[in-house]
Amino acid sequence: MRAPARVHVLSLGGTISMAQDATGLRAAPADAPDAGLVSPVPEDVEVTHVPVANVGSPSVRPAQLAEVLERARDAVAGGAAGVVVTHGTDTLEESAFLLNRYWDLEAPLVLTGAMRPANAPGADGPANLRDAVRTALAPSARGLGVLAVFDSLVHLADRVTKVSSRSVDAFASEPSGPVALVGERDLRLVYRPTDRSALLGGALPDRLPRVPVLALGLGDDAELLDALAPDALEGLVVEGVGMGHVPERAVGRLRALTARGVPVVVATRVPSGGTSLNHYDYPGSEVDLIRAGCVMAGALTPHSARLLLQALVADGADADRISREFEAFGY
Ligand code: ASP
């Protein structure tokens, strides 16, 4: 008899491992960390499970993701077809994006979660988990890097974003839509993705460099930067407007940072379309910001741009490499 295919599940917490109270409110991590992990799996599939943490996803630490990465690599080396990570939905896309910088194996690494606690009516965790297990086993998922599976759809880690804080249909992919639908024995691919960008490989750092996101809108000239100690920032992501624009009075402060060797990346708060390189040339526009030494984030959301910049700074990347790696995410 053929040995069953094996999928290894690592859990980090989130709503999939939470229970709500008797009134249907106040969901919190359940006593059993794998409360959300009971799900029908095909007979010829063996699912192993190791809980890594049971926390709300904003509290997931880089060191825990580093542990997940190492455990996932070990599981594949030990014969697992793929690995599933259960995770809170609030930062699921961040962990997926960060892990995708280091996951250099063909086997799928699949993140999933739930919008409804494990004991809520219509809990979506078991179905999402079953779909994530199917995806981890799917031949077509091999080589696609890190994936997020939610509500029967498969998303690429570099595109997926949470678009609803309430609906079970909580994730979308910009600008392409999901890469596949989950099928019983394989995925139904919607398109074939192009090459992976910014694949660093190696170990995920336990500590990420200090790179905050500063949102600049109407009337905000980034004065906060004047109050920071000179070495407070290891990099900065600006969440600008439109195609990556800021108030003109902020530009001098950003130029002062790049002149001191602090990398500055400009993203946009607009959900679709990304930043540009040369649509506009006026004070505070992308052309002006590039002249000031800033790098444009292209299609990356501000929070993905932050993680990419942190990964690159942690890897010792210089200004040229930083702009090259971001260019790969441009439009
Ligand atoms: N609302 C969250 C979730 O869906 C909580 C979290 O992100 O941990 O899991």
Side-chain angles (χ1 to χ4, degrees), residues 13-16 18 55-58 87-91 114-115 162:
T15 301
I16 193 168
M18 291 188 190
V55 294
S57 67
H87 194 291
T89 58
D90 292 352
T91 65
M115 293 299 285
K162 189 172 183 179

Side-chain angles (χ1 to χ4, degrees), residues 6-10 16 36-37 39-42 45-48 81-87 92 107-114 124-139 141-142 145-155 180-187:
R6 189 148 48 81
V7 174
H8 192 52
V9 178
L10 298 162
I16 193 168
L37 297 180
S39 167
V41 288
V45 174
E46 184 196 347
V47 177
T48 52
V83 177
V84 169
V85 180
T86 59
H87 194 291
L92 186 144
L109 179 59
V110 185
L111 275 70
T112 195
D124 52 334
N128 285 340
L129 184 61
R130 182 207 54 199
D131 287 347
V133 168
R134 284 180 172 171
T135 302
L137 292 165
R142 298 187 66 78
V146 179
L147 298 168
V149 166
F150 228 85
D151 202 25
S152 310
L153 300 172
V154 185
H155 300 269
L181 286 78
V182 180
E184 216 177 295
R185 290 278 154 197
D186 199 0
L187 304 185

Side-chain angles (χ1 to χ4, degrees), residues 217-230:
L218 193 86
D220 190 336
D221 302 331
E223 279 167 330
L224 177 72
L225 295 175
D226 300 345
L228 299 181

